[in-house]
Amino acid sequence: RALDKKDIPKLMTAIDNYNGFMTTKLAMKMLVYTFVRHGELRGARWSEIDWNNRLWTIPEERMKRDKSLVVPLSKQVIKILKELETINGDFNYIFASYHKPDEQPISDAALLLVLKNIGYWEKTTVHGFRSTFSTIANDKQINPDWIKQQLAHSTGNKVRSAYNRSENLPQRT
């Protein structure tokens, strides 16, 4: 289930007003800004962040596809990461578990629980944000290749994929 574009401001207000575990609150916000899969987000490590170039490189072993994903970081995401650094900066995981922060990230169900607690459980899913992004970007006639790259989808053209290695970072930022 994807949200309609008009529902995003209300969603962001609901996330801002969430009084639960700060790490999951910020994870939800970052998910809305990056459109990565929630497993890729949950497993994010500080070592994957390039602060100087404002990039997050998710290694291929954590990706659904057999290729790493470079995610450009907007100023909103940098702000979220800086806040998370004050909370979880001493741990490997950006979204460190409340119970075992030295060992594991937040649980698979943590973001679903946020949706439930802010009243969006029946309106959307965590994965639905990816559909929301794709719909809005396609409505704005953004280059489909850039959309597919941000979603870590292949272009469907093996020859083109073999030769075109551009990450299109300026456009995706």
Side-chain angles (χ1 to χ4, degrees):
R1 297 178 306 263
L3 282 180
D4 191 274
K5 178 173 73 172
K6 68 177 174 39
D7 295 323
I8 294 173
K10 291 178 199 163
L11 169 73
M12 296 309 282
T13 299
I15 294 170
D16 283 339
N17 292 332
Y18 177 64
N19 290 321
F21 184 44
M22 184 59 76
T23 297
T24 53
K25 174 181 181 171
L26 294 172
M28 184 62 75
K29 283 183 92 166
M30 190 161 155
L31 194 69
V32 174
Y33 284 122
T34 62
F35 323 108
V36 296
R37 292 176 182 90
H38 80 285
E40 296 159 1
L41 182 88
R42 285 180 40 251
R45 297 174 184 261
W46 291 111
S47 60
E48 298 169 357
I49 303 298
D50 176 348
W51 292 99
N52 293 330
N53 294 305
R54 296 175 38 166
L55 299 173
W56 169 26
T57 302
I58 306 170
E60 71 179 77
E61 59 268 11
R62 291 201 316 102
M63 293 296 301
K64 186 175 174 181
R65 63 183 186 162
D66 50 353
K67 183 181 174 194
S68 63
L69 175 66
V70 178
V71 179
L73 302 175
S74 66
K75 63 184 178 203
Q76 295 92 336
V77 173
I78 292 291
K79 183 178 177 187
I80 291 167
L81 288 170
K82 290 213 180 270
E83 188 171 351
L84 281 161
E85 192 175 32
T86 66
I87 300 167
N88 296 327
D90 293 333
F91 306 116
N92 285 328
Y93 291 102
I94 294 172
F95 303 101
S97 161
Y98 179 78
H99 301 288
K100 297 180 183 178
D102 288 323
E103 300 174 30
Q104 65 191 36
I106 58 175
S107 76
D108 202 18
L111 296 174
L112 298 174
L113 190 58
V114 172
L115 282 179
K116 188 172 189 176
N117 287 333
I118 65 172
Y120 278 79
W121 178 260
E122 294 180 0
K123 297 174 186 169
T124 190
T125 63
V126 174
H127 197 78
F129 295 136
R130 292 167 58 81
S131 295
T132 299
F133 159 71
S134 180
T135 301
I136 292 169
N138 278 290
D139 283 348
K140 296 269 185 195
Q141 298 182 334
I142 292 175
N143 184 318
D145 287 344
W146 305 342
I147 297 168
K148 288 177 184 176
Q149 277 182 309
Q150 190 66 27
L151 294 172
H153 290 168
S154 67
T155 62
N157 184 328
K158 289 183 181 183
V159 173
R160 185 157 190 255
S161 294
Y163 288 99
N164 182 6
R165 309 255 171 103
S166 174
E167 296 287 347
N168 297 305
L169 294 172
Q171 297 88 345
R172 289 174 45 222
T173 301

